[in-house]
Amino acid sequence: MDIPAVQTEREEITSEKMAQTNPLPVPMGPWKITVYDQENFQGRRMEFSASCANIMECGFDNIRSIKVECGAWIGYEHTSFCGQQFVLERGEYPRWDAWSGSNAYHIERLMSFRPICSALLLQNHKESKLIIFEKENFIGRQWEICDDYPSLQAMGWGNNEVGSMKVQCGSWVAYQYPGYRGYQYILECDHHGGEYKHWREWGSHAQTFQIQSMRRIQQ
Amino acid sequence: MDIPAVQTEREEITSEKMAQTNPLPVPMGPWKITVYDQENFQGRRMEFSASCANIMECGFDNIRSIKVECGAWIGYEHTSFCGQQFVLERGEYPRWDAWSGSNAYHIERLMSFRPICSALLLQNHKESKLIIFEKENFIGRQWEICDDYPSLQAMGWGNNEVGSMKVQCGSWVAYQYPGYRGYQYILECDHHGGEYKHWREWGSHAQTFQIQSMRRIQQ
């Protein structure tokens, strides 16, 4: 049989049975994102299956709505993958505030984007692992994380800061505020060797050690 | 021994050992939230350990920053627990956009709040259970959820809408957009008998069936 196992399994499930059963995880297909230069999926549109360092080279002045059809992506405020970072998982984002975590300043730009290659599939998701450290340079109190934490403090972390982080498996997003709000910092096992030893390495938009929630990125 | 087991366990862990060990979950204490009438924890402040239906009765014109010290809470845009809902888990919220999920309209008010009594502690967290249905009134395709889903579509759900929901255990928050963004709808097993059969029952701010991510609320 050339048909992959997951396909066969799917065919055996009748639509009636499907209604009673949790859906199977969607297998990872090719990366796919569609960007629009107007809100609500209007205006000029373009599909991508790989990274884009400068949307202006495609004739866009900005990206104002997004549909992610496959994979997990990072959007960046500026060209060449700089500035604020925005996690983009599968689904529909009709306007800037659907992906932005902060309106501390309101530039509303998304000029480059790329796939998050180290994001794990659902079935491997439990292997995700990250260590957070109290101080920069991987010193002080440490805590191994394998799950999502909407409030690090509620789970026992001492304060509202994290000094440094090592990603051992998968990809993660850390947030400034509890409940996955505020600035987003995407952390990948295949970037910087997974080592983020100071807030200056979390992204060009980072300005403090403040991190109050974090979670795994799935695809 | 009158000392609770968890206390004893804590005392046995030296500070050195603690530095190498994941912290213990914080036992649920009395509810505690501190609200401020100015941003960045400035201005008039007041502590609460129970719900507040109208902050104006305490002499505040609005709440502009918050520290949650114990438990999980819901903040509401209007008095008497109406309007937009905001999950508030343990941590620090220096300004409105730290808890708001949407700037679709910018009223920036938080006038009432209450504890989420059915939010589970970390150690019971895995018991959380919710069923989502394709259509209103609990019909169509259904899916039992026991985990956090930053993208329902990535996990196999067919579209960007959920018709109705039944909370069987714990409390949950559903979001309009992927990645826990946009309007927040708090769903509790001890409200409406855990049954939310149409978007009109999700909250007075709900206007559509659109739900693209959901997660458990811990305390």
Side-chain angles (χ1 to χ4, degrees), chain A:
Chain A
M1 293 283 287
D2 284 326
I3 302 164
V6 68
Q7 193 72 35
T8 317
E9 233 180 311
R10 282 207 158 169
E11 282 165 3
E12 282 166 8
I13 298 172
T14 64
S15 61
E16 196 183 341
K17 196 174 163 194
M18 193 68 185
Q20 302 300 320
T21 315
N22 283 357
L24 296 167
V26 179
M28 186 172 72
W31 307 99
K32 189 171 167 200
I33 191 169
T34 306
V35 299
Y36 303 78
D37 74 352
Q38 300 301 323
E39 291 188 352
N40 296 310
F41 320 113
Q42 301 294 312
R44 193 180 178 117
R45 57 168 270 167
M46 199 169 275
E47 274 181 23
F48 291 83
S49 56
S51 62
C52 168
N54 186 355
I55 195 67
M56 287 189 288
E57 289 175 2
C58 304
F60 280 55
D61 71 320
N62 193 4
I63 293 170
R64 295 190 183 84
S65 51
I66 297 170
K67 287 185 187 176
V68 176
E69 283 158 88
C70 208
W73 298 71
I74 313 185
Y76 293 88
E77 181 185 4
H78 300 305
T79 58
S80 303
F81 318 113
C82 290
Q84 269 205 73
Q85 302 168 359
F86 311 108
V87 178
L88 301 166
E89 288 149 313
R90 195 173 151 177
E92 299 181 6
Y93 303 81
R95 36 180 286 143
W96 187 80
D97 64 274
W99 63 75
S100 153
S102 170
N103 44 14
Y105 63 98
H106 246 296
I107 301 186
E108 302 201 7
R109 289 166 74 85
L110 195 150
M111 306 305 285
S112 57
F113 51 88
R114 66 172 176 83
I116 306 176
C117 298
S118 60
L120 295 178
L121 292 173
L122 177 62
Q123 54 267 41
N124 304 322
H125 196 46
K126 292 201 192 325
E127 295 165 20
S128 299
K129 198 190 290 184
L130 175 144
I131 302 172
I132 59 176
F133 296 84
E134 187 185 2
K135 304 286 184 194
E136 58 266 46
N137 296 315
F138 317 119
I139 58 173
R141 188 178 171 198
Q142 59 180 265
W143 189 10
E144 186 181 288
I145 288 182
C146 306
D147 205 345
D148 298 351
Y149 289 88
S151 165
L152 289 175
Q153 285 185 76
M155 300 308 123
W157 189 246
N159 60 30
N160 64 4
E161 293 185 340
V162 172
S164 46
M165 294 175 273
K166 275 188 193 176
V167 185
Q168 301 200 306
C169 188
S171 60
W172 295 75
V173 51
Y175 295 86
Q176 188 183 10
Y177 302 127
Y180 311 124
R181 314 227 72 84
Y183 280 137
Q184 304 171 38
Y185 309 110
I186 288 122
L187 311 162
E188 299 159 281
C189 64
D190 57 356
H191 274 63
H192 309 93
E195 300 199 344
Y196 297 83
K197 67 176 188 294
H198 190 280
W199 59 256
R200 282 187 292 267
E201 298 181 353
W202 304 350
S204 58
H205 61 311
Q207 291 163 10
T208 72
F209 287 110
Q210 191 175 38
I211 288 181
Q212 299 193 68
S213 52
M214 48 201 319
R215 66 178 182 87
R216 299 160 296 180
I217 302 171
Q218 302 171 16
Q219 57 179 313

Side-chain angles (χ1 to χ4, degrees), chain B residues 7-204:
Chain B
Q7 193 71 36
T8 316
E9 233 180 313
R10 282 206 157 171
E11 283 164 3
E12 282 168 7
I13 298 173
T14 64
S15 60
E16 196 184 341
K17 195 173 164 192
M18 193 71 184
Q20 302 300 320
T21 315
N22 284 357
L24 295 166
V26 178
M28 186 172 72
W31 307 101
K32 188 169 167 200
I33 190 169
T34 307
V35 299
Y36 303 77
D37 74 352
Q38 300 302 323
E39 292 187 351
N40 295 311
F41 320 112
Q42 302 294 313
R44 195 180 177 116
R45 59 168 267 167
M46 199 170 275
E47 276 182 20
F48 291 83
S49 56
S51 63
C52 168
N54 186 354
I55 195 68
M56 287 189 289
E57 289 175 1
C58 304
F60 280 56
D61 69 322
N62 193 3
I63 293 169
R64 294 189 183 83
S65 52
I66 297 170
K67 287 184 186 177
V68 176
E69 282 158 88
C70 207
W73 298 72
I74 314 184
Y76 293 88
E77 181 185 5
H78 302 304
T79 58
S80 303
F81 318 114
C82 291
Q84 271 204 72
Q85 302 168 2
F86 310 109
V87 178
L88 301 166
E89 288 148 314
R90 193 171 151 179
E92 298 181 7
Y93 303 81
R95 37 180 287 144
W96 187 81
D97 65 273
W99 61 75
S100 154
S102 170
N103 43 14
Y105 63 100
H106 245 298
I107 301 187
E108 303 202 8
R109 288 166 75 84
L110 195 150
M111 305 305 286
S112 57
F113 52 86
R114 65 172 176 84
I116 306 176
C117 297
S118 59
L120 295 179
L121 292 173
L122 178 62
Q123 53 267 42
N124 305 320
H125 196 47
K126 292 202 191 324
E127 294 165 21
S128 299
K129 198 190 290 185
L130 175 144
I131 302 172
I132 59 175
F133 296 84
E134 187 185 1
K135 304 286 183 192
E136 56 266 48
N137 297 313
F138 317 119
I139 59 174
R141 187 178 172 197
Q142 59 179 268
W143 189 12
E144 187 180 288
I145 287 180
C146 307
D147 206 344
D148 299 352
Y149 289 88
S151 165
L152 289 174
Q153 285 185 76
M155 301 306 124
W157 189 247
N159 60 31
N160 63 4
E161 293 186 341
V162 172
S164 46
M165 295 174 273
K166 275 187 194 177
V167 185
Q168 301 200 306
C169 189
S171 60
W172 295 74
V173 52
Y175 295 86
Q176 187 183 9
Y177 302 127
Y180 312 124
R181 315 227 73 83
Y183 279 137
Q184 304 172 38
Y185 309 110
I186 287 124
L187 311 162
E188 297 159 281
C189 64
D190 57 356
H191 273 64
H192 310 94
E195 300 199 343
Y196 296 83
K197 67 175 188 293
H198 190 281
W199 59 256
R200 283 187 292 267
E201 297 181 352
W202 303 350
S204 56

